Amino acid sequence: MAGLPLPLPLPRGAGRAVLAGRALLAALRPCPRRGCGEAAALRAMGFSQEQARRLQGLQPRLGPERREAVAAQLLLLGLSAEAALALLEQSPALLRLPTEQLRERAEELRRLGLDGGRLERALSRCPQLFAVPRKRLAAAVRLLRERCLFTAEQLREVLGTCPAVLLEEPCSLHHHFQYAYFRMGVRQKEMVKARLFQMPFAELRNRHIFLERRGLYETPHKGQIQTNNPKLKDILQLSEKDFLASLACSTLEEYEVFKKLLAREEAEEGKEEEVDALYAEEDDDLDSERSKTAPE
């Protein structure tokens, strides 16, 4: 009919998103027809028939409504159907979490700079982020910013490449940082570039001390940086075989013997520290007894 306004054209690429959103909302509404089951609801969300079948097999004791609600929430967070399915297959326990908790945790991670593809990659690498207590997450972020002095941009890069740091106990995380900063003489910028926290601390220490004892890594003096030392990125990212061949100039057999000797040294040092602590405690007790029995 003449005189009726024409609908405004959608922005390029927006039509698909609108249709997907409508399908998702429709899938979340109860279907009045008897034949509309869980598989149909999942298909309406955008899962393929095979993906829906795999999703239905997760946590079979849960009702279909719970699987549908969690799957829908992951899609609303921006994950693709394949990414959401992979996440739930990797961590089926997520199906038992309240959808509100999933949404709130994703919002917290976005505030830290993990948006778009960064969020999807972080969650696929570390789905435990949905379940970790909020206080633990806040403590790790506070330590990285206030005690390790990473900038906001550096923190975003750390979380994007190694989201598992948010699961670490703050004292362990701080020790990891301090070792690289003081013992190895590495600054924050290089730590971020080399992805320091991707390697477990024990392996980092093994590689560093091995190089040090072979005269290939010089411990810097306080406040100085040794520019002739191997790059942290090479120490961390080379495979063990390449690390020994190109940096340590050694064999696997030598490295294995070294690790056993280092573990023995640490065990002996630990015993000595326990004995020293015991003697110090006994001295304190003796001083206390003398003070009680001393004539006034």
Side-chain angles (χ1 to χ4, degrees):
M1 290 182 291
L4 291 178
L6 294 174
L8 292 174
L10 291 171
R12 187 176 183 180
R16 185 182 301 174
V18 170
L19 292 175
R22 289 173 181 170
L24 184 54
L25 291 173
L28 293 174
R29 299 191 190 104
C31 181
R33 293 178 297 177
R34 290 185 177 180
C36 185
E38 182 182 2
L42 295 173
R43 291 290 303 278
M45 293 182 199
F47 291 95
S48 68
Q49 184 174 353
E50 173 61 19
Q51 289 170 338
R53 183 191 65 77
R54 287 158 56 190
L55 187 53
Q56 286 179 278
L58 300 176
Q59 298 283 342
R61 292 186 179 182
L62 292 177
E65 295 83 4
R66 172 118 288 277
R67 278 190 293 272
E68 292 172 27
V70 172
Q73 184 61 56
L74 293 178
L75 296 180
L76 288 171
L77 293 179
L79 275 68
S80 65
E82 183 59 36
L85 175 61
L87 184 63
L88 292 174
E89 286 182 327
Q90 183 182 352
S91 299
L94 293 179
L95 288 167
R96 298 184 178 275
L97 295 179
T99 55
E100 186 65 18
Q101 180 176 338
L102 300 178
R103 185 185 63 78
E104 290 179 353
R105 183 52 47 81
E107 288 179 355
E108 290 177 12
L109 295 173
R110 285 196 184 100
R111 283 195 292 269
L112 295 173
L114 295 178
D115 49 5
R118 285 175 180 264
L119 178 64
E120 181 176 327
R121 288 191 296 272
L123 293 175
S124 63
R125 291 175 183 171
C126 194
Q128 301 93 321
L129 289 175
F130 276 128
V132 66
R134 184 179 297 178
K135 289 184 178 179
R136 170 79 66 83
L137 187 149
V141 171
R142 187 165 54 251
L143 180 130
L144 291 168
R145 286 285 281 131
E146 298 177 5
R147 303 192 66 183
C148 301
L149 301 180
F150 288 106
T151 66
E153 179 59 32
Q154 289 171 341
L155 175 63
R156 186 172 74 163
E157 188 66 24
V158 168
L159 298 183
T161 56
C162 189
V165 296
L166 294 173
L167 308 178
E168 295 285 342
E169 290 287 350
C171 58
S172 300
L173 190 58
H174 196 209
H175 184 60
H176 199 154
F177 166 81
Q178 285 185 313
Y179 187 90
Y181 190 89
F182 293 107
R183 281 281 280 113
M184 301 180 70
V186 179
R187 295 299 177 257
Q188 288 90 338
K189 184 177 180 180
E190 188 178 353
M191 292 181 197
V192 173
K193 185 178 179 181
R195 302 180 180 181
L196 169 68
F197 299 107
Q198 282 191 348
M199 175 172 282
F201 173 72
E203 181 58 22
L204 167 69
R205 188 169 181 271
N206 283 341
R207 291 192 178 195
H208 168 243
I209 296 178
F210 190 57
L211 291 172
E212 198 175 46
R213 294 189 180 180
R214 292 180 66 82
L216 299 173
Y217 200 104
E218 185 175 350
T219 302
H221 297 292
K222 187 175 181 180
Q224 297 181 351
I225 300 176
Q226 291 292 338
T227 57
N228 57 337
N229 282 331
K231 297 294 184 183
L232 180 65
K233 184 176 181 180
D234 294 332
I235 296 174
L236 297 178
Q237 296 187 9
L238 288 174
S239 66
E240 185 174 79
K241 179 181 178 181
D242 292 336
F243 165 76
L244 293 171
S246 61
L247 284 187
C249 303
S250 181
T251 64
L252 179 60
E253 290 75 16
E254 289 176 316
Y255 190 47
E256 291 298 326
V257 170
F258 160 77
K259 287 191 286 187
K260 291 178 181 178
L261 293 175
L262 184 62
R264 187 182 303 172
E265 286 179 22
E266 292 176 345
E268 291 174 353
E269 289 175 1
K271 290 180 180 178
E272 290 178 0
E273 289 176 359
E274 289 178 4
V275 172
D276 291 342
L278 181 61
Y279 281 134
E281 185 177 336
E282 290 177 352
D283 289 341
D284 291 340
D285 292 340
L286 287 173
D287 291 340
S288 178
E289 288 298 324
R290 290 193 191 100
S291 65
K292 290 179 182 178
T293 58
E296 296 181 359

